[in-house]
């Protein structure tokens, strides 16, 4: 019997788990995938939004601004990458200036600090590669960029260090009321809890509808992206948005915290909750729309494309609260953009609701800091030499594109909630994220995973489940 079970190990679920670890409670996170950060949280724009887009007075607006304000402190406490570089919303037609002004007014109403409209001349100085058609822009200095993997993993590791249990490869099949709380049937057996938090992303409607007569519907909204090489990373220095339309903020162009350039996403509604395939039409739309706001994009530098799903709720609003006809069941539903930015505040809100239900006491042993994986490239030459003297594995380069060492990969595997797949290592260290997209380093990473996990190399997967890399080979060979 757990006090709280959280369904879903994305950024909202893990932020909630970390906040709940500040209290005396037995908490478990159930995740159907093999790792944290395997759904919406792994494939998004990696933007810390300023908070001018959501309607004034909405929960989405409130939590966006609160989450943005928490980001800098959290990035230091939990050691994940965050840079407050600012954003620009581009207006390319004088007739659309009222829409830009309306966005400014909404941002002011939402409590966004430092907003101002910049005219063409200043805009050109700020971003020399901006479109020649741009006549003005809304500048938001509080916007930023973040590593979504690093942030999600940081929340999870800190929660685990403070006593939260994580149960992976565990898919919820049914939930029903009991005298003691809730019985959750999974493909790994039953779990019981006094209180349940539904943070299941695009599957949150299915989980909600198991317990409530008031049915909801989440529409998966696919977004296609292109990632460019680090040689293109300085093409713009801020996040460049188009004026928002019916389906959101449109195609953006942004640097990443790791020095690449990211463009996207599309906004295509689908019925497939696993539909993360890119399409030619989607990628063509990304390239066309990105070029409208930023000129001379070096598209020959594209190194990969990918797609993610947003959990779109029909009213385009976060639904966070105890379900009316299911006492002790807390929804954290419809967490689409700006969900990544809002997640720290979402965690606080969810924990507050649960604490009120269970009347939890504070945990005096809570430790609020966490140290991430050491990156030798960020050290001084003397510090790097000392690190290699102490542990020679940090002198052995495994991924040449990203200069990832064996020491970093070993740390990624051995630390709390350690990596068990190629994608798990990639999310934690960036091994395989460079120009060759794992063409060189995959066999080496697989060897290290097999050795550390005590498995045959034939058992190593790309992303858990049936995604084995080595198949159809005589077992006596390996």
């Amino acid at each position: 019997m757990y006090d709280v079970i959280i369904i879903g190990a994305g950024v909202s679920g893990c932020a909630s788990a970390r906040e709940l670890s500040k209290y005396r409670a037995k908490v478990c996170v159930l995740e159907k995938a093999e790792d944290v950060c395997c759904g919406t949280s792994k494939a998004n724009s990696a933007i810390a939004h300023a908070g001018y887009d959501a309607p004034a007075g909405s929960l989405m607006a409130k939590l966006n601004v609160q989450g943005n304000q928490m980001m800098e402190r959290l990035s230091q406490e939990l050691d994940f990458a965050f840079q407050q570089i600012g954003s620009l919303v581009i207006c390319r037609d004088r007739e659309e200036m009222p829409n830009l002004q309306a966005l400014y007014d909404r941002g002011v109403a939402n409590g966004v600090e430092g907003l101002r409209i910049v005219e063409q001349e200043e805009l050109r100085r700020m971003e020399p590669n901006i479109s020649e058609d741009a006549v003005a822009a809304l500048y938001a200095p509080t916007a930023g960029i973040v590593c979504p993997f690093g942030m999600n993993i940081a929340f999870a590791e800190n929660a685990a260090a403070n006593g939260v249990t994580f149960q992976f490869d565990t898919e919820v099949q049914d939930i029903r009321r009991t005298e003691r709380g809730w019985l959750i049937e999974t493909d790994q057996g039953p779990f019981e809890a006094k209180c349940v938090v539904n943070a299941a992303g695009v599957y949150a409607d299915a989980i909600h509808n198991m317990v409530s007569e008031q049915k909801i519907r989440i529409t998966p909204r696919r977004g296609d992206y292109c990632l460019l090489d680090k040689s293109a990373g300085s093409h713009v220095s801020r996040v460049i948005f188009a004026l928002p339309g019916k389906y959101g903020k449109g195609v953006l162009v942004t640097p990443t915290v790791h020095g690449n350039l990211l463009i996207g996403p599309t906004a295509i509604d689908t019925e497939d909750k696993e539909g993360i395939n890119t399409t030619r039409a989607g990628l063509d739309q990304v390239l066309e729309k990105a070029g409208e706001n930023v000129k001379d994009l070096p598209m020959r530098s594209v190194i990969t494309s990918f797609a993610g799903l947003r959990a779109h709720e029909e009213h385009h609003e976060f639904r966070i609260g105890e379900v009316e006809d299911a006492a002790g069941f807390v929804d954290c539903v419809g967490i689409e953009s700006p969900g990544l930015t809002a997640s720290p505040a979402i965690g606080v809100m969810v924990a507050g609701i649960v604490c009120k239900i269970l009347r939890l006491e504070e945990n005096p042993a809570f430790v609020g800091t966490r140290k991430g994986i050491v990156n030798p490239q960020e050290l001084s030459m003397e510090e790097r030499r000392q690190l290699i003297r102490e542990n020679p594995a940090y002198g052995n380069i495994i991924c040449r594109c990203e200069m990832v060492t064996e020491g970093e990969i070993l740390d990624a595997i051995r630390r709390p909630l350690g990596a068990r797949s190629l994608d798990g290592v990639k999310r934690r260290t960036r091994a395989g994220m460079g120009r060759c997209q794992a063409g060189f380093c995959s066999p080496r990473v697989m060897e290290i995973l097999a050795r550390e996990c005590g498995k045959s190399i034939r058992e190593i997967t790309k992303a858990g489940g049936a995604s084995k890399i080595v198949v159809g080979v005589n077992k006596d060979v390996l």
Side-chain angles (χ1 to χ4, degrees):
M1 167 64 78
Y2 289 95
D3 293 305
V4 188
I5 285 179
I6 299 169
I7 302 172
V11 71
S12 295
C14 289
S16 299
R18 178 183 184 263
E19 288 297 326
L20 282 166
S21 72
K22 295 179 178 179
Y23 299 89
R24 296 182 186 270
K26 189 177 181 183
V27 181
C28 178
V29 179
L30 301 182
E31 170 55 52
K32 72 183 184 69
E34 55 97 24
D35 198 358
V36 303
C37 197
C38 286
T40 297
S41 300
K42 77 171 181 180
N44 52 68
S45 304
I47 305 299
H49 292 282
Y52 49 72
D53 189 56
S58 66
L59 183 60
M60 186 179 282
K62 175 185 174 182
L63 297 182
N64 184 165
V65 174
Q66 289 179 357
N68 176 284
Q69 292 170 346
M70 297 169 70
M71 199 69 68
E72 176 65 36
R73 176 179 56 81
L74 277 172
S75 70
Q76 295 173 3
E77 291 177 349
L78 299 180
D79 198 17
F80 60 84
F82 166 70
Q83 298 170 20
Q84 195 169 61
I85 62 173
S87 68
L88 291 164
V89 181
I90 305 301
C91 177
R92 296 188 296 114
D93 189 331
R94 284 287 172 192
E95 292 184 359
E96 292 187 327
M97 286 298 291
N99 296 333
L100 197 69
Q101 182 65 45
L103 206 59
Y104 169 85
D105 293 340
R106 190 185 307 162
V108 171
N110 289 346
V112 180
E113 297 179 354
L115 285 177
R116 62 188 180 93
I117 292 178
V118 297
E119 295 294 335
Q120 190 175 58
E121 186 177 341
E122 183 180 2
L123 179 58
R124 294 268 181 275
R125 291 197 301 269
M126 295 173 75
E127 293 291 347
N129 286 319
I130 214 71
S131 168
E132 301 292 346
D133 297 334
V135 295
L138 176 63
Y139 175 47
T142 58
I145 51 178
V146 66
C147 176
F149 321 123
M151 182 176 168
N152 197 156
I153 291 166
F155 284 143
E157 287 186 357
N158 191 232
N162 283 292
V164 175
T165 300
F166 283 75
Q167 184 82 21
F168 298 112
D169 296 311
T170 303
E171 184 171 357
V172 173
Q173 298 174 328
D174 192 25
I175 307 174
R176 64 178 183 270
R177 218 48 178 110
T178 69
E179 291 183 359
R180 302 202 303 168
W182 296 95
L183 178 67
I184 302 175
E185 298 286 357
T186 79
D187 58 356
Q188 301 298 318
F191 292 79
E192 281 190 279
K194 298 173 186 174
C195 187
V196 175
V197 175
N198 172 20
V202 295
Y203 289 95
D205 55 349
I207 300 297
H208 169 99
N209 293 342
M210 290 177 184
V211 305
S212 176
E213 292 302 316
Q214 300 171 13
K215 306 304 181 185
I216 63 172
R217 184 171 186 269
I218 296 296
T219 301
R221 180 166 286 175
R222 195 187 83 235
D224 302 75
Y225 292 87
C226 288
L227 183 70
L228 280 66
D229 188 56
K230 291 182 179 181
S231 62
S234 60
H235 197 74
V236 295
S237 57
R238 295 166 185 83
V239 185
I240 309 299
F241 291 110
L243 270 172
K246 177 182 177 182
Y247 291 100
K249 303 174 186 69
V251 171
L252 60 86
V253 180
T254 179
T256 72
V257 292
H258 300 291
N260 297 86
L261 193 72
L262 180 68
I263 62 174
T266 53
I268 301 167
D269 289 347
T270 174
E271 295 300 316
D272 186 358
K273 292 181 184 288
E274 298 292 332
I276 56 171
N277 56 298
T278 58
T279 66
R280 178 59 186 265
L283 295 176
D284 284 347
Q285 183 181 341
V286 167
L287 304 184
E288 177 188 349
K289 295 295 184 182
E292 291 178 355
N293 290 315
V294 179
K295 64 183 180 181
D296 301 328
L297 282 166
M299 299 314 302
R300 295 186 67 177
S301 297
V302 171
I303 58 175
T304 191
S305 60
F306 63 93
L309 297 175
R310 286 103 84 184
H312 176 65
E313 191 268 342
E314 60 181 336
H315 299 103
H316 189 54
E317 173 65 306
F318 297 161
R319 294 175 58 118
I320 302 174
E322 188 175 15
V323 176
E324 194 173 296
D325 60 345
F329 188 96
V330 179
D331 265 342
C332 183
V333 173
I335 312 300
E336 58 181 316
S337 179
L340 182 69
T341 314
S343 60
I346 289 171
V348 172
M349 183 175 179
V350 168
I353 294 168
V354 172
C355 285
K356 187 175 181 180
I357 294 170
L358 299 180
R359 298 182 180 179
L360 299 177
E361 298 177 356
E362 289 188 8
N363 172 17
F366 173 76
V367 176
T369 57
R370 166 259 190 194
K371 185 64 180 172
I373 296 171
V374 174
N375 180 356
Q377 302 302 314
E378 296 176 354
L379 303 177
S380 69
M381 190 58 69
E382 181 50 43
E383 289 172 328
R384 196 181 309 176
R385 291 194 188 102
Q386 180 61 30
L387 179 65
I388 294 170
R389 282 194 292 268
E390 294 172 358
N391 187 344
Y394 284 98
N396 182 18
I397 302 293
I398 301 298
C399 172
R400 293 182 180 178
C401 295
E402 295 292 320
M403 296 298 287
V404 179
T405 66
E406 182 180 5
E408 293 164 84
I409 295 170
L410 291 173
D411 189 1
I413 296 168
R414 293 172 180 174
R415 63 179 31 236
L417 309 180
R420 294 294 178 268
S421 66
L422 282 178
D423 280 0
V425 170
K426 179 167 69 173
R427 283 191 291 271
R428 288 164 174 80
T429 68
R430 293 189 56 78
M433 284 195 180
R435 173 171 281 276
C436 85
Q437 288 291 289
F440 174 81
C441 65
S442 286
R444 300 290 309 281
V445 176
M446 290 171 66
E447 290 172 3
I448 296 169
L449 275 165
R451 184 183 73 221
E452 288 295 309
C453 298
K455 295 181 177 181
S456 161
I457 202 167
R458 299 174 83 245
E459 299 176 88
I460 301 303
T461 65
K462 181 183 185 297
S467 62
K468 292 183 178 179
I469 310 296
V470 180
V471 294
V473 178
N474 186 323
K475 65 180 180 179
D476 295 327
V477 174
L478 297 172

